[in-house]
Amino acid sequence: MDAWGLWLIAAGVLLVLEMVTLTFYLLWLCVGAVVAAGVAWVAPEAFLAQVIAGCLVALVLTIFTKPLSRKFRAAKGYEDSGIELIGREGIVVEPIEQGQYGIVKVGGDTWSATSTQNLGRDERVRVLRRSSTIIEVERWEEFI
């Protein structure tokens, strides 16, 4: 198999991992691998140039992601849908043990969730905080 094919396989694996983690960092590595595949297609013997091109693209995208996302969030009309989750009621789909992850359904969406309590399936919970893809919940009755 040619080097460009290996780079495309690496890009595919990184893309799948990005879909699982939703961090954008693996997405930028995926884009870097695609760039390296392009360099490998043009210059198959220049492995060092492939690695450098892929690394530079991934590094530049990683560095500029934060300022770009900050500008996007400051734009007029942007609403963070995660903020509206705080205080809402949810139902535990997969039990949550203290310090472990479980799954909670809030509205029509399911979220990975943590709690400082052990929560069983079908318990009502209230959302306390939200990070990028994980929410923190507590038993609903404690807030009534």
Side-chain angles (χ1 to χ4, degrees):
M1 178 173 278
D2 292 330
W4 63 268
L6 294 174
W7 283 114
L8 287 179
I9 290 171
V13 169
L14 288 165
L15 183 61
V16 169
L17 290 173
E18 172 58 39
M19 287 184 212
V20 174
T21 62
L22 301 172
T23 61
F24 277 109
Y25 296 115
L26 294 176
L27 179 63
W28 302 148
L29 291 174
C30 171
V31 172
V34 170
V35 169
V39 172
W41 191 48
V42 173
E45 301 301 320
F47 183 71
L48 186 59
Q50 297 165 24
V51 172
I52 290 172
C55 288
L56 284 176
V57 167
L59 182 64
V60 167
L61 289 171
T62 301
I63 289 170
F64 288 108
T65 297
K66 201 69 152 175
L68 287 176
S69 65
R70 198 173 298 130
K71 282 182 184 179
F72 177 70
R73 288 186 178 148
K76 187 175 184 177
Y78 174 78
E79 293 181 27
D80 186 357
S81 61
I83 293 174
E84 67 188 34
L85 285 174
I86 297 170
R88 288 191 55 196
E89 179 181 355
I91 301 291
V92 177
V93 176
E94 287 186 19
I96 303 170
E97 293 184 27
Q98 188 174 1
Q100 300 293 318
Y101 293 107
I103 305 239
V104 171
K105 185 172 186 175
V106 180
D109 298 323
T110 55
W111 292 82
S112 293
T114 62
S115 180
T116 57
Q117 307 162 317
N118 291 328
L119 300 168
R121 184 180 176 98
D122 296 326
E123 280 196 65
R124 290 176 33 198
V125 294
R126 179 180 304 244
V127 178
L128 298 175
R129 287 179 204 82
R130 175 190 166 244
S131 64
S132 60
T133 60
I134 299 170
I135 58 175
E136 184 179 337
V137 296
E138 283 196 358
R139 197 169 278 116
W140 181 266
E141 289 76 22
E142 292 184 8
F143 291 97
I144 296 177

